[in-house]
Amino acid sequence: MRMETAKHIARLIDLSPSPYHVVNHLAHLLAQQGFQRLTEGEGWSLQGGGRYYLSRQDSSLVAFVMPENLTRPAPLRLCSSHTDSPTLKLKPSLLRKKGGYWLFDVAVYGSPIHSTWFDRDLSLAGLVSGLDGEGKVHQVVFQVENSITRIPNLAIHLNRGLNDSYKINPHDEMSPIWRGVTKEDDAGFSPVSLFQHWLTGQGIQLPAGWTASHWDVMLYDCQKAAFVGEAGDLVASSRLDNQVSCFAGGLALLDHVQGQPSGGNTLAMLACFDHEEVGSLSVTGAEGNLVESVISRLYRQPEDRWRAMAQSWMLSVDNAHGCHPNYPGLQDDNHCPLINQGVVLKSNPNQRYATNAATGGYFKGLCRQAGVAVQDFAVRSDMACGSTVGPPLSARLGIATADIGIPTWAMHSIREVAGVRDMGDLRRVLSLFYGSS
Ligand code: ZN
């Protein structure tokens, strides 16, 4: 079962080079199990035990299962995570000419480990927005499947300091090379028209008479996820942070509806946000009003809402730093989670994580009930602590929250590593969580 879950999640990550693809694949999974699509701009008529989902601007998603009985406000069981990962995104100008080549003009998104983006087979995916002949806007989510670009390293002979303390300049040294400039290119084609023409040649379906005008397009690594290690129980892949949590949360919600087809006594909800890697403050981010607006439509009377929130729990699910044997001094060896040794509960008294005594105890109780091991994480007392969507969302919604995740090596590398066993255990404890009293 754990390997089956890990393989399923790895396949979904392979199919999801951008947040738009994460949302598409989650929506597809949910629709197959009877979840109905809602739109924020229309009225909702919700049934007891009904299954629903919506996306905001195609890069964030909320799915929920109504409780069986709608006559009294049910407590919320909210699992939150993020759809975005560190990457390189195309700037408005798309391309620039340099040294006889066309380079993709990119901005660094979030905090990738820069060196890991060199010498990889890269391609493009995301959303392109454009105008048709009548001035109507159309958006197209696309993925170019084959590798079309690379960021080559400079030969060691030309940079003798490369293995010492060389600092990469992302503006000058991380532009992926697309192709050589030709004489025809110099005949006055704009980068946008060149690029649109090329996209059409890649088999991307674009509306007739359509002209690309703006985009959220990112680079991704074409290498698929691999099962590695002596026992094949480690998963190496791009975007484990945090697509693992989005897809584990989605599969667990499907387990929940299979176990409680009539909806049970809770309002089970999955929320996957964009823009966590850049601070979450956006219309599709966790600091936006997406979940708050959905909740206010589900609990129509303020009194009902606040009574329900007081009985609600949230699990904020994001990857944790796995203990790295080559860097023993950089983690608190008393709170250093091992890969494949259990789901991680993250605590920080300075509120970088939302876990407190009550929610930590609640989560450990859930793990015991699920038969899942749990490991504590805390940062060294002389180091700054990372954060995630848990603290702002918990404060905004007024829901008691625990920050959890699975241990990961090389977080923000283009190729991260996590454990098969942990992925299965995360799904298991989340499926129990959605229906827990
Ligand atoms: Zn993350």
Side-chain angles (χ1 to χ4, degrees), residues 153-305:
N153 256 303
L154 185 63
I156 190 84
H157 317 79
L158 302 176
N159 185 358
R160 292 289 178 188
L162 198 60
N163 289 332
D164 301 328
S165 57
Y166 185 73
K167 193 171 183 313
I168 294 162
N169 180 314
H171 187 77
D172 294 330
E173 300 170 25
M174 287 187 71
S175 297
I177 300 173
W178 185 36
R179 65 170 172 79
V181 176
T182 65
K183 282 194 187 120
E184 293 76 47
D185 296 339
D186 282 332
F189 290 109
S190 72
V192 175
S193 65
L194 265 182
F195 185 67
Q196 183 172 336
H197 180 71
W198 173 79
L199 263 188
T200 312
Q202 294 294 306
I204 309 297
Q205 296 290 325
L206 302 175
W210 182 87
T211 311
S213 54
H214 216 66
W215 35 84
D216 182 24
V217 173
M218 57 213 76
L219 276 289
Y220 77 92
D221 186 357
C222 292
Q223 188 177 2
K224 305 281 189 207
F227 287 77
V228 300
E230 188 264 340
D233 61 354
L234 298 173
V235 185
S237 173
S238 295
R239 305 180 298 281
L240 292 174
D241 171 18
N242 187 17
Q243 292 191 17
V244 162
S245 308
C246 293
F247 289 126
L251 293 174
L253 191 62
L254 300 184
D255 296 339
H256 167 66
V257 294
Q258 273 184 357
Q260 299 191 12
S262 59
N265 298 322
T266 60
L267 204 164
M269 184 181 287
L270 168 72
C272 300
F273 301 98
D274 199 356
H275 297 143
E276 188 273 348
E277 299 294 355
V278 292
S280 294
L281 187 58
S282 78
V283 69
T284 50
E287 295 234 40
N289 75 342
L290 175 58
V291 165
E292 193 172 14
S293 73
V294 172
I295 287 175
S296 65
R297 294 172 79 157
L298 302 185
Y299 301 96
R300 299 209 170 173
Q301 302 300 326
E303 166 87 7
D304 288 350
R305 172 180 168 179

Side-chain angles (χ1 to χ4, degrees), residues 82 84 240-242 276-277 317-319 346 387-388 411-412:
H82 65 90
D84 62 321
L240 292 174
D241 171 18
N242 187 17
E276 188 273 348
E277 299 294 355
V317 194
D318 201 351
N319 294 19
K346 309 177 200 174
S387 192
T388 180
M411 195 182 288
H412 292 195

Side-chain angles (χ1 to χ4, degrees), residues 3-24:
M3 181 52 93
E4 203 180 297
T5 294
K7 282 187 171 168
H8 197 168
I9 290 174
R11 197 162 58 246
L12 288 164
I13 294 174
D14 284 342
L15 292 169
S16 301
S18 79
Y20 304 102
H21 293 82
V22 176
V23 167
N24 273 351

Side-chain angles (χ1 to χ4, degrees), residues 143-158:
Q143 174 184 9
V144 178
E145 304 256 353
N146 51 320
S147 166
I148 49 113
T149 186
R150 284 175 76 88
I151 310 170
N153 256 303
L154 185 63
I156 190 84
H157 317 79
L158 302 176

Side-chain angles (χ1 to χ4, degrees), residues 317-335:
V317 194
D318 201 351
N319 294 19
H321 297 299
C323 205
H324 195 316
N326 288 348
Y327 301 90
L330 294 179
Q331 288 172 272
D332 178 349
D333 54 13
N334 245 354
H335 302 91

